Every structure is written in C-alpha cells, then in structure tokens.
Amino acid sequence: MDLRKWAIFSLLEPRFVSKIKIACVFGNSGNEALIVTEDDSVYALGSNSAGCLGLECHDSTLFPKKVKALCHKRVEGFAYGSGPHVLAYTADGLVFSWGHNGYCEVGDGTSCQRLKPTVIDMALEGKHVVAVAAGSHHSLTLTDDGEIYAWGHNNCGQVGSALSSNQSAPRKVNSVIGGKKCVSIACGQTSSMAVTENGEVYAWGYNGVGQLGIGNTSNQQTPVRVKGILCSVVITKVECGYSHTLALSDMGQLFAWGSNGYGQLGTGTKSNCNSPVQIAQDIGRIVDIAASHYSQISAAMTQNSTVYMWGYCRGQIITLPTKTPFSSLHEVFACFSTPAVMWKPLEVKQHEGNTVAESLRAAFDDPNTSDLTINVQGRPIYVHKTVLKIRCEHFRAMFEHNWQESTRSELNMEYYTYPVYRAFLEYLYTDHVLLPPENALELLVLATEYCEAQLKRLCEQIIEHGITVENAASLYAAAIQYQAKELEEFCFKFCLNHMTAVVQTDDFSKLEGDTLKDFIRRAAHNGAFKS
C-alpha cells in the first residue's frame, strides 16, 4: 500500500519511505505515527500528545526523529490508546510502554506520564509476549503460552480482575477462562475480547450497547463466554470497534454485535445487537476483517481480495457491506475512517524487482528492447510500437491502419526538434514532462496536433510557471493560436497585472493586428486604461 495515502507521511522523502518496514498511524486526529525501518531503527513524527512519540520530550515534529529507546530492539508491532498511550512488543517477547498514564495504562506501577519507552517487567518478567492490544485507557498482552495479562483503567471491568479499581501493573486474566490457551486478543474503547485455541470467544468490560455479545447489556468484571450462534462455529479472529465487535470463523463467516447507530454492524439497519448475528453472507468467503476502537467503521476482505466497508464512512452512514476499489483493508481506514488511524500496524512489503511503471520508465530509449527507432535531427530515440499504440491515438492509427510507417522499424521526424519530441515520447512512458518552459510551447503545438489533452494541460502548466514580463505577450498570442483557453486567460491576467512593463517589450510590439486589437479591447473592458 502507498503510505502517501496517510497525510502524515506526505513529507517523507522517497528514499526514507523505501526503507520502512512497519508503520503505525494513531492519535485522536491521525496526527501521530511510529515507523520501524529495515535497519531496525524506530522513528516517530507528529503532534506528540502526552509524550506518545517516545522522544523523551513534549516537542512535536513534522519529520521523523529517532526513538532511541526502541532502536535495535527488534520491534514487531504496536498498540495504542486514545490518551494516547502506546505499547510496543519485540521479537524477544519484551513489551515497552509510554505516553498518557492517568489511568495506569502504561503499566509501570504508577499513574505518572512516561515520555520514554520502558520495558514492563512487573509480572511479565520471563514471559514472551507475542501480541499487544489497547483500549482507550487499558492494555492487554498475549504470551506465547496463551496467557493474557491486563492493566490500566478498570471502571467497567475491562481489566478482568473482578474488581472496579484501576490496575497499575500487569495482572493475569485468563486464569478465569478455565485455563484455555488464548490465540487472539482485541480491545474496544472500554471492553476486552479473547479467542481461545478451540475457537471460543470470551468478553469482559463495558457492555452498555451489547458489545460483549452475551445477550444483555450488563458490564462484566471477569471474562464471559460469547455463546448464541457462535457455539456452532470456530472463531479465529476478533476485531473491536469503538463499541462494536466483529468475529471471523475458520469457514470465512462473519459475525457482528454491539452498537449500530452508524451501521457499523452491517445488518442493513441501525439497531443495536447484544448477541452475535451473521452478516455479509452474500459477498463470498471472508478472509480478513478490520475495526478500531478509535472509530465506527468496519471492513472485510473476501477470498478474491475484494474489500468491503460499512459504518461511519467519512461522514456517511453505510448500513450494508459496500464494495470498494481498494486492495487493502488499510486503505479503508486511510480514506474513510474518522479519525484516519490505522486499525493495526501496517507491515510494508517493499517490491522485489521493478513495478510496471518502473519497468516502462527503464525501457524508454533502450536500444536493447526497442522495435522502433525514431530519428529526430539526426539523433535516434528507441521506443516500442506496442507502448506507443497503447498510449497515443496518433500512433495507434499509424500502426493499425496499414500506413506505410506500420511496417518500418525506423522513422524520421522532421517537424519538431529533438528535445521536444524526445520529451513527448518520454511522457508516453512516464506521464511526466521534463522540459524547460522555453521549449514547452513547441510541445504544446505537438500535443494539440496529436490530440493529447493531458499533455496539453501539462505544457500549459510549465508555460505558466515560466511566464515573464518579456515573454508574456508572445505566450498570450500562442495560447490563442493553439486554442489553449486556460493558458490564454492566465497570460492575459498576467499582462493586465504588469501592463506598463508588458507593453514596452519587443514581444508586445510584434503582436499581430487582430490579436492586438482583441487584447486592447479586453484590457479596456477590465479597466486597464482608466485614469
């Protein structure tokens, strides 16, 4: 997935982006991010609310800064709350925590804000953590032996300790699940969920809108099994939204329960459900699901990689799973979640080998793969007939309608200069124009002749960026000649704003009769000659 879909990454240099291994966007406005690079360095950027970037200060930053305490610790993933507080776990099974700690969600035995990521060793010492999860102000970890530890805010029982007081250090939870090994954990705003090895689901914490799925709306201070329709299926994964829950079975069935005021359950209504209901039965086998305690949006991917979304989608209430053009669940959250946070850290898979665009770019002017040579001013340009046919109507007509040129492997171009025609051909391979403003006018002529509307617009932009007092009049005349209306209007306004200087230039004195008369008429109409 292109990380530029997340606004916070828009200033990153491409070379830095190419080294990213894991990225995580969080924060109440999607304005904080953590990054792990291929060399095992960890970076942070954003507004740094409550010191959540782990930079050991409260300073915000537009550009990535190293999180020294996490560098070379082999960080594998993150979880975050809405304080925000942050958890990170490593390949060695350690858990680091930092950020907001007013409800003991950092788990260091205090309620003091922590600016530096620090290993949690209370109760977790000797344990190997393989997953972390966070609600608004509470935290869960899952160990490799299937045990769950929880801490933090506990006003609704979300820590699962059978008490209502906050838990300042990790405490084992699943001793009350009957000793069953757990394989998955998730957190809603103030609720917690776990999936056992045999596919059972357990829930605890706040249940005011039925997000625990236990058939009522009573809070639970210890884990309770979610039954009903789930008793006849094997659940492999659970994801929690702000106050709703999704569950995926090993047969690709999707179940939902909890709050539904924004259609986030996907039932076609806005009625809450306090027991699981099966949804999306008509879209095929589902292989992955997504939700976040920050938002009211849901998403799923089917076996054929089709992505669906529903719920509160950028201000719209969508009550049924709706097909999207996306190829990743992360794109749903980047484009339609409010706020635009990641539902889980994004593992960036760098391309092995070139992309299609990169391969096309490399093929331009390559004599080793070319099947057509175009000579311009005695200089060859190596291209491919198929690419030219695909990209340009002029060449498609030339090569498909028995023109004389269609059978040749070499053509001569006599009407344009080498820099301009080369720039045109390169544009067909790259969608970009690398040409100075003084040459763009000739390319504009070519684009007009070949009916290349997009190229024509690019030429107009290049010319606009290169306009000066000295060339404004001639550019205005050329825009009229080639019927470039937007460029004509731009040049006219420029001339109007610099009238005294423009009328004294050589280019202005060379304007032909009708063009000069029209310019003077328009200028007068716009008040240029009023005293």
Side-chain angles (χ1 to χ4, degrees):
M1 176 182 166
D2 186 355
L3 285 175
R4 288 173 297 181
K5 289 183 181 290
W6 305 93
I8 195 169
F9 295 139
S10 58
L11 297 181
L12 298 185
E13 295 182 357
R15 182 177 297 181
F16 180 82
V17 172
S18 70
K19 303 298 182 183
I20 293 177
K21 183 172 65 173
I22 300 172
C24 183
V25 178
F26 61 105
N28 293 316
S29 299
N31 54 358
E32 275 127 356
L34 290 161
I35 292 168
V36 182
T37 56
E38 291 177 345
D39 65 355
D40 200 25
S41 295
V42 179
Y43 295 83
L45 67 157
S47 59
N48 204 17
S49 304
C52 65
L53 297 185
L55 298 174
E56 304 178 39
C57 65
H58 287 99
D59 298 339
S60 62
T61 175
L62 282 172
F63 300 96
K65 290 185 177 179
K66 277 192 175 183
V67 184
K68 297 178 181 178
L70 294 178
C71 288
H72 309 299
K73 297 295 192 301
R74 300 202 292 166
V75 171
E76 292 198 335
F78 302 97
Y80 49 84
S82 58
H85 74 284
V86 185
L87 308 173
Y89 71 97
T90 72
D92 297 320
L94 301 177
V95 178
F96 290 77
S97 64
W98 66 97
H100 190 274
N101 196 29
Y103 300 95
C104 305
E105 56 264 52
V106 168
D108 64 354
T110 76
S111 59
C112 300
Q113 185 179 108
R114 182 172 288 281
L115 302 179
K116 179 181 179 179
T118 304
V119 175
I120 302 177
D121 52 15
M122 298 181 179
L124 292 179
E125 187 172 6
K127 298 293 182 179
H128 188 103
V129 172
V130 295
V132 292
S136 289
H137 298 289
H138 73 288
S139 307
L140 299 182
T141 61
L142 176 67
T143 65
D144 61 354
D145 55 5
E147 295 179 339
I148 298 174
Y149 290 79
W151 63 93
H153 202 197
N154 196 35
N155 61 325
C156 302
Q158 57 265 47
V159 169
S161 63
L163 304 172
S164 58
S165 56
N166 294 344
Q167 180 69 33
S168 63
R171 177 174 180 148
K172 189 175 178 179
V173 173
N174 64 317
S175 56
V176 294
I177 302 178
K180 296 176 181 177
K181 183 177 181 179
C182 293
V183 295
S184 177
I185 54 175
C187 292
Q189 183 200 24
T190 48
S191 60
S192 303
M193 309 291 298
V195 180
T196 63
E197 192 173 33
N198 64 344
E200 297 175 353
V201 178
Y202 287 80
W204 61 100
Y206 184 66
N207 194 33
V209 289
Q211 58 262 62
L212 299 188
I214 56 176
N216 58 50
T217 56
S218 301
N219 297 348
Q220 300 295 318
Q221 293 185 333
T222 57
V224 176
R225 186 179 174 189
V226 183
K227 296 182 179 179
I229 195 172
L230 297 192
C231 288
S232 60
V233 297
V234 175
I235 297 299
T236 57
K237 183 179 185 181
V238 166
E239 293 292 344
C240 294
Y242 182 85
S243 53
H244 76 286
T245 309
L246 303 176
L248 180 64
S249 79
D250 62 349
M251 296 294 289
Q253 303 155 298
L254 179 56
F255 303 87
W257 60 90
S259 177
N260 198 30
Y262 296 94
Q264 60 266 47
L265 297 188
T267 59
T269 73
K270 293 193 287 184
S271 300
N272 297 344
C273 297
N274 57 26
S275 295
V277 293
Q278 187 174 356
I279 63 167
Q281 298 181 58
D282 59 345
I283 67 173
R285 182 172 182 140
I286 295 170
V287 296
D288 204 1
I289 54 175
S292 167
H293 70 81
Y294 265 72
S295 65
Q296 309 280 8
I297 194 171
S298 304
M301 177 181 283
T302 64
Q303 191 175 30
N304 63 1
S305 297
T306 303
V307 174
Y308 290 80
M309 69 180 186
W310 61 97
Y312 193 63
C313 302
R314 193 178 276 269
Q316 297 187 58
I317 295 176
I318 309 299
T319 62
L320 286 170
T322 300
K323 186 178 179 180
T324 75
F326 301 141
S327 59
S328 165
L329 294 176
H330 281 286
E331 291 178 273
V332 171
F333 287 79
C335 300
F336 282 93
S337 175
T338 305
V341 300
M342 289 183 176
W343 63 285
K344 70 172 185 178
L346 170 61
E347 295 184 12
V348 181
K349 297 180 180 179
Q350 301 296 343
H351 292 291
E352 296 181 1
N354 293 334
T355 63
V356 172
E358 291 167 342
S359 297
L360 276 176
R361 188 178 296 112
F364 174 67
D365 207 12
D366 179 6
N368 296 319
T369 60
S370 166
D371 61 358
L372 177 65
T373 302
I374 299 179
N375 297 306
V376 186
Q377 295 182 318
R379 301 170 65 180
I381 306 172
Y382 302 100
V383 291
H384 308 75
K385 288 183 180 180
T386 299
V387 174
L388 301 189
K389 285 164 60 177
I390 292 171
R391 293 281 287 141
C392 178
E393 182 63 36
H394 172 80
F395 287 112
R396 190 175 305 122
M398 177 185 294
F399 297 136
E400 288 185 353
H401 294 89
N402 297 318
W403 288 19
Q404 187 177 15
E405 291 86 348
S406 65
T407 59
R408 294 180 179 177
S409 61
E410 190 167 341
L411 300 175
N412 295 315
M413 172 52 59
E414 300 175 354
Y415 306 109
Y416 299 98
T417 61
Y418 174 82
V420 167
Y421 209 76
R422 189 182 195 282
F424 164 61
L425 293 173
E426 187 170 12
Y427 160 78
L428 297 180
Y429 283 76
T430 66
D431 269 336
H432 297 290
V433 175
L434 300 176
L435 204 63
E438 55 267 24
N439 294 115
L441 190 57
E442 184 185 352
L443 185 58
L444 177 62
V445 176
L446 187 157
T448 303
E449 181 182 346
Y450 284 16
C451 300
E452 289 289 333
Q454 173 67 17
L455 178 58
K456 191 174 178 180
R457 285 191 291 271
L458 288 175
C459 292
E460 291 173 3
Q461 291 174 7
I462 293 171
I463 294 168
E464 289 175 6
H465 295 161
I467 195 170
T468 65
V469 167
E470 286 72 23
N471 65 18
S474 62
L475 292 177
Y476 171 74
I480 293 174
Q481 179 182 354
Y482 300 117
Q483 301 179 350
K485 292 296 184 181
E486 291 185 11
L487 178 60
E488 176 189 339
E489 187 65 23
F490 177 86
C491 292
F492 174 75
K493 288 181 179 178
F494 184 91
C495 291
L496 198 64
N497 291 334
H498 302 275
M499 180 64 73
T500 301
V502 169
V503 298
Q504 298 179 58
T505 63
D506 290 340
D507 279 3
F508 187 82
S509 66
K510 296 175 183 176
L511 288 179
E512 296 181 355
D514 289 343
T515 302
L516 178 60
K517 289 177 183 178
D518 182 66
F519 178 84
I520 293 173
R521 180 187 57 78
R522 292 181 65 186
H525 181 73
N526 282 272
F529 305 118
K530 291 181 180 180
S531 57

